[in-house]
Amino acid sequence: MENNLDFTYLDHNATTYVDPQVIDAMAPYWGVKFANPSSIYDISQDVRTDLDMARTKMLSLLGASNGKVVFTGGGSESDNLAIKGFVYANQKKGKHIITSTIEHHAVGHTCEFLIKQGFDVTYVPVTTQGVLDITAFKAALRPDTILVSIMAANNETGVIQPLSEIGRITKEKGIAFHTDAVQIGGKIPIEVDAWNVDLLTLSAHKFYGPKGIGCLYIRKGIRLQPQIHGGSQEFDLRAGTENTAAIIGMVKALALANGSMIEESKREQGLRDHLEAAIKRDIPEIIINGQGAPRLPNTLNVIMKYVEGEGMLLYLNMNKIYASSGSACTSGSLDPSHVLLAMGIPHEFAHGSLRFSFGKKNTDSDVKKVIALLPGIVRQLRSMSPLWPENS
Ligand SMILES: *Cc1c(COP(=O)(O)O)cnc(C)c1O
């Protein structure tokens, strides 16, 4: 695709633009197909049929042979429905939840809330590469454990988690397994059956769909308590008139992304690897986070020791290069990334992280632009930094 942006956007793990083919697929549902799918006249039934087809298609895109898909208002809502919905409906069996130290706040803060409600949560640590510590995970399992929630890939580092290994264990023990798969949607294949996943969260705006729409896959036999009460939409699990255009757009976006996944991930990985190699070559005192672990092909998270991520972002911003430091959700706060701290990165270095996440419109000219500027930016910031050893 031609790059028609007059800036260099390298923050696709935060959000993506909407693919024009997705906009085209959605448009009729704001126009002639506006009818409420719950009404009984024929124009409503037509919309209902389209929705049912989209739902079935989504199941097959997720590699699911059974169960159902509930459409929600996004990834955060799906995480909340999965976790709160499951533990409230199943708390007679136990009140223990296992999660990790690197989850997105939509999972992490939901678990903190549940601790206040009387649930017990174990946060399993990760290795220095950012991968769930499987030995610690096994040791955390208890007779009263009812739910495991471990993300599929981390939004900051791109590190992919051992889902099939976790799923094998939870299935054997009869414990439900939820995964926040928001970051892998459209990037690597999703296989809920093969992984023994019971609940899976996705969000459309991370794979060229619209914002404010997500879904939750629910395996057959898994019971949830609804978190939004009202009408009987979405199998009585999520009340409210369906966001028909967004649902159609989400399924179209995932189908498109899956269709071009193999070549596109190879292409983006090429750009990522090019940038990574140049940073290693041109900038001393750096850490590539998650290096050596399986990583999403589009993500590069790097620490420039002795500088602040915010400073680098400001300079990049002046040159119309948009990246992030830590995650978008925590920028504005001065705390360093909880993900990097969990990987054992010291506080003073965790502040110096930059995340570049590539997408469909990026080309080698974007990489060249960053390579031409970044070493100079880091040198300049270090020359002013009291932390830089040469200055002390
Ligand atoms: C973006 C993101 C979310 C939140 O999704 P929204 O649709 O923005 O609510 C949740 N988990 C992960 C891993 C994410 O990257």
Side-chain angles (χ1 to χ4, degrees):
M1 187 181 294
E2 199 192 335
N3 187 347
N4 53 5
L5 303 173
D6 70 343
F7 51 78
T8 290
Y9 184 75
L10 291 169
D11 204 14
H12 293 82
N13 288 10
T15 197
T16 58
Y17 66 91
V18 181
D19 188 294
Q21 287 176 265
V22 172
I23 297 177
D24 287 348
M26 291 167 72
Y29 299 88
W30 293 306
V32 289
K33 293 195 171 197
F34 68 88
N36 189 320
S38 297
S39 301
I40 58 160
Y41 27 81
D42 57 4
I43 56 167
S44 282
Q45 291 311 303
D46 289 348
V47 177
R48 167 64 53 204
T49 304
D50 293 353
L51 275 192
D52 290 345
M53 278 167 56
R55 206 183 291 281
T56 307
K57 174 100 190 225
M58 183 56 98
L59 267 181
S60 79
L61 290 172
L62 300 179
S65 61
N66 68 56
K68 55 184 180 267
V69 165
V70 166
F71 289 102
T72 68
S76 300
E77 189 189 321
S78 292
D79 284 340
N80 273 265
L81 175 59
I83 299 170
K84 290 181 198 159
F86 186 85
V87 300
Y88 283 133
N90 294 277
Q91 54 185 320
K92 284 207 183 91
K93 289 183 231 157
K95 295 192 112 185
H96 183 229
I97 305 163
I98 295 176
T99 186
S100 80
T101 50
I102 58 162
E103 297 297 313
H104 189 275
H105 286 328
V107 168
H109 288 176
T110 300
C111 288
E112 280 170 34
F113 167 81
L114 287 168
I115 293 174
K116 292 192 203 120
Q117 305 298 309
F119 289 88
D120 195 4
V121 178
T122 301
Y123 295 88
V124 176
V126 295
T127 66
T128 53
Q129 289 186 323
V131 182
L132 187 82
D133 180 337
I134 280 284
T135 311
F137 169 72
K138 286 180 185 159
L141 294 161
R142 306 194 321 215
D144 63 337
T145 308
I146 54 171
L147 178 68
V148 167
S149 182
I150 304 288
M151 69 198 323
N154 184 265
N155 41 304
E156 293 183 36
T157 61
V159 172
I160 298 168
Q161 302 302 319
L163 292 194
S164 45
E165 207 170 341
I166 299 164
R168 210 166 29 241
I169 297 166
T170 52
K171 188 180 182 192
E172 187 191 297
K173 305 252 181 208
I175 298 167
F177 178 22
H178 166 249
T179 187
D180 175 337
V182 171
Q183 283 298 335
I184 68 169
K187 294 176 186 157
I188 59 174
I190 298 177
E191 295 289 348
V192 296
D193 280 359
W195 298 337
N196 292 310
V197 163
D198 298 304
L199 295 154
L200 179 136
T201 292
L202 274 187
S203 174
H205 75 96
K206 304 287 173 82
F207 50 80
Y208 308 93
K211 295 168 182 58
I213 182 80
C215 74
L216 180 66
Y217 165 74
I218 306 170
R219 185 166 298 288
K220 191 166 175 236
I222 294 285
R223 271 189 327 114
L224 300 183
Q225 184 193 85
Q227 299 302 303
I228 297 177
H229 298 90
S232 61
Q233 291 93 349
E234 301 298 314
F235 312 99
D236 266 326
L237 284 170
R238 202 268 186 181
T241 302
E242 297 88 344
N243 190 345
T244 49
I247 291 170
I248 298 294
M250 177 172 192
V251 178
K252 176 77 180 176
L254 191 59
L256 281 174
N258 277 6
S260 60
M261 185 183 284
I262 295 172
E263 38 186 320
E264 184 56 23
S265 27
K266 203 183 286 170
R267 199 188 69 85
E268 289 177 23
Q269 181 164 352
L271 297 176
R272 192 271 308 269
D273 290 349
H274 181 187
L275 179 58
E276 183 172 317
I279 287 174
K280 281 183 185 162
R281 185 191 62 214
D282 296 344
I283 307 177
E285 296 288 336
I286 60 140
I287 305 168
I288 305 289
N289 293 308
Q291 185 166 247
R295 269 185 299 163
L296 293 174
N298 79 320
T299 307
L300 172 59
N301 188 307
V302 57
I303 286 173
M304 320 288 179
K305 294 184 187 172
Y306 313 109
V307 291
E308 299 275 340
E310 279 70 21
M312 293 186 279
L313 289 182
L314 227 64
Y315 275 96
L316 291 172
N317 180 81
M318 287 193 289
N319 291 284
K320 291 187 175 249
I321 297 169
Y322 307 121
S324 79
S325 105
S327 65
C329 324
T330 49
S331 52
S333 82
L334 285 172
D335 293 336
S337 149
H338 71 285
V339 175
L340 299 182
L341 295 180
M343 290 163 68
I345 302 282
H347 254 260
E348 66 266 31
F349 293 155
H351 278 292
S353 76
L354 276 187
R355 179 187 71 184
F356 299 100
S357 46
F358 289 88
K360 288 199 286 188
K361 286 189 183 179
N362 291 128
T363 64
D364 212 45
S365 81
D366 294 317
V367 176
K368 289 198 176 110
K369 224 172 126 183
V370 178
I371 294 173
L373 285 161
L374 192 57
I377 292 173
V378 174
R379 221 177 300 123
Q380 166 121 28
L381 287 168
R382 281 177 177 167
S383 74
M384 303 184 295
S385 166
L387 302 171
W388 182 237
E390 286 173 24
N391 294 342
S392 56

